Amino acid sequence: MGLKDGKHTFDFIVDEKFFDEFEYSEIKNGQFDVIVELEKNATFLALVFIASGSLEMKCDRCLEKFDLKINSHDKLIIKFGNEVYDSRYIGEEVQIVSHNQSEINVSQYIYEFIHLQLPYKRMHPNDENGNPTCNIEALNKPGEQKTQKDKTIDPRWDKLKDLLK
């Protein structure tokens, strides 16, 4: 039967089970509300993906876990066609599918749009004063261990120092 021409809205809840389906997913614990607004015409589909939620990340600075909030708004055009178009003329936000295709699986698009929102540096967000909210004890531990190591010198190095004299 299919969808009639016009606007349609779909709402999805995306959680750990969804991300487990993708082998190389960086997201293990997270939950998102994803709204897909679809406008269907005779020659194309215009999709808008609105995702909001949070996921658990490990801080690159202190290695403690924290919740990262993500909001994204992405667009995709799916055109119906019989030819294979040259990729130089089709952007990343435009996909071509056959006229015979009756279903569109949007899970890969949802997965990619959420992953594209992950920052390169994953650190605790700053507080309202602009100060980092990392675990101070975890940040100080590497420095303490280094100073303790410096105090104990391997006796084999002492023998080598004698060669310099």
Side-chain angles (χ1 to χ4, degrees):
M1 181 171 197
L3 293 173
K4 295 181 179 181
D5 287 355
K7 292 188 178 188
H8 306 276
T9 303
F10 303 94
D11 196 3
F12 302 100
I13 300 294
V14 175
D15 58 10
E16 295 89 18
K17 292 177 188 174
F18 174 80
F19 292 107
D20 287 343
E21 295 295 318
F22 297 92
E23 187 175 356
Y24 299 107
S25 177
E26 293 184 59
I27 300 173
K28 301 300 178 199
N29 295 321
Q31 184 165 349
F32 294 87
D33 182 31
V34 179
I35 298 168
V36 179
E37 297 172 349
L38 177 130
E39 184 177 344
K40 182 179 185 275
N41 292 318
T43 58
F44 70 93
L45 301 172
L47 295 115
V48 176
F49 295 84
I50 303 166
S52 62
S54 65
L55 58 108
E56 187 178 84
M57 298 258 39
K58 189 181 280 190
C59 179
D60 290 341
R61 192 179 327 179
C62 70
L63 302 177
E64 297 263 327
K65 293 182 179 179
F66 70 99
D67 286 333
L68 176 67
K69 295 187 186 310
I70 290 181
N71 294 309
S72 71
H73 188 272
D74 300 285
K75 296 178 184 177
L76 176 70
I77 304 292
I78 299 177
K79 291 188 174 188
F80 299 111
N82 292 329
E83 301 175 20
V84 176
Y85 289 92
D86 190 343
S87 63
R88 291 179 293 181
Y89 304 113
I90 303 295
E92 292 178 6
E93 62 277 343
V94 177
Q95 301 288 318
I96 307 293
V97 297
S98 170
H99 285 288
N100 300 336
Q101 191 168 342
S102 61
E103 292 181 4
I104 306 277
N105 185 349
V106 296
S107 63
Q108 182 68 35
Y109 301 119
I110 293 171
Y111 168 80
E112 289 175 4
F113 289 144
I114 291 174
H115 267 76
L116 287 172
Q117 296 299 314
L118 296 178
Y120 290 118
K121 289 185 177 181
R122 296 160 187 181
M123 294 184 285
H124 283 89
N126 292 339
D127 63 10
E128 51 278 341
N129 296 328
N131 299 320
T133 58
C134 286
N135 182 348
I136 302 296
E137 292 175 14
L139 292 175
N140 291 335
K141 284 182 183 177
E144 291 173 0
Q145 292 172 352
K146 190 173 185 179
T147 57
Q148 290 173 356
K149 281 184 180 179
D150 290 342
K151 291 178 184 176
T152 59
I153 298 175
D154 189 347
R156 293 176 289 184
W157 291 110
D158 287 335
K159 298 279 185 190
L160 290 173
K161 287 181 183 177
D162 291 339
L163 293 174
L164 293 173
K165 293 180 182 176

